[in-house]
Amino acid sequence: MRLISGLLTLLVAGCGGLVMKEYVQPAGVNVATVQIQNRSKQPLGVHVYENAYDCSEKRRVIWVPPASELSIKTKAPELTAYSLNTESGLGLRYCLLAFSFAPKVSSEYVITFVDTSEGCGLTAAEKVGQESVSIALTQRDFKRPFLASGASCTPLATSPSGVPAEEAWE
């Protein structure tokens, strides 16, 4: 009986990496607002990664309905990694985009996701007064992690100062 109890405890304790946790929006003054606009005909999955270096510690935000938008708070000025994904009709077409950027404190950003017959893509802008100014995002090479808590992106290269080397979205 002790053996079964011990194995059950190990199994339950070890499953922490199997279950994806919900995203908890930060509070306080060091935050920015990111509005995700879904301009596709499919629901859009939104995920934020606690560790932007290798996209680990994935957090589920929500599914954004077609032709809708969602605003979330994010840490600033920290580098933050995101992934957006859609799936159409029985999984026949799947689109996943992973990216990162470092928002400025108290700033507002708009990330617009589009999905057409030619493929999917996104645009990004910072709201400055009544204007929208395009910003560069770092495109991330996505890889499937073994556990929900594992690395989902190829790690960023770092400069000698330890600051992540940004590569603009093309």
Side-chain angles (χ1 to χ4, degrees):
M1 188 65 162
R2 277 190 198 160
L3 177 62
I4 293 173
S5 176
L7 288 174
L8 186 57
T9 301
L10 281 174
L11 180 62
V12 171
C15 287
L18 297 176
V19 179
M20 189 183 324
K21 297 178 182 176
E22 297 294 322
Y23 178 66
V24 177
Q25 296 187 50
V29 294
N30 291 334
V31 297
T33 302
V34 177
Q35 182 184 77
I36 308 288
Q37 297 181 339
N38 181 7
R39 298 296 175 250
S40 74
K41 296 178 182 177
Q42 303 298 324
L44 178 67
V46 179
H47 298 93
V48 177
Y49 299 87
E50 292 292 318
N51 182 340
Y53 172 72
D54 63 0
C55 302
S56 60
E57 301 301 323
K58 184 176 186 178
R59 301 293 185 253
R60 179 183 303 112
V61 177
I62 197 166
W63 283 92
V64 180
S68 298
E69 52 199 44
L70 165 79
S71 289
I72 60 172
K73 298 290 184 189
T74 188
K75 294 177 187 174
E78 292 182 28
L79 183 69
T80 306
Y82 303 84
S83 63
L84 307 177
N85 67 286
T86 61
E87 188 174 310
S88 63
L90 304 172
L92 299 176
R93 186 162 179 278
Y94 185 78
C95 177
L96 184 144
L97 299 174
F99 61 93
S100 59
F101 79 107
K104 297 178 206 167
V105 174
S106 300
S107 292
E108 294 183 33
Y109 298 87
V110 177
I111 310 291
T112 304
F113 178 90
V114 294
D115 189 8
T116 65
S117 58
E118 290 84 39
C120 62
L122 55 85
T123 60
E126 178 181 5
K127 290 183 182 178
V128 181
Q130 301 293 345
E131 303 288 317
S132 289
V133 179
S134 292
I135 62 168
L137 301 174
T138 300
Q139 182 176 0
R140 304 302 298 273
D141 294 325
F142 189 82
K143 63 180 186 175
R144 293 264 178 231
F146 181 69
L147 300 174
S149 60
S152 296
C153 296
T154 303
L156 288 171
T158 55
S159 68
S161 66
V163 177
E166 294 282 325
E167 177 182 321
W169 188 278
E170 299 180 314

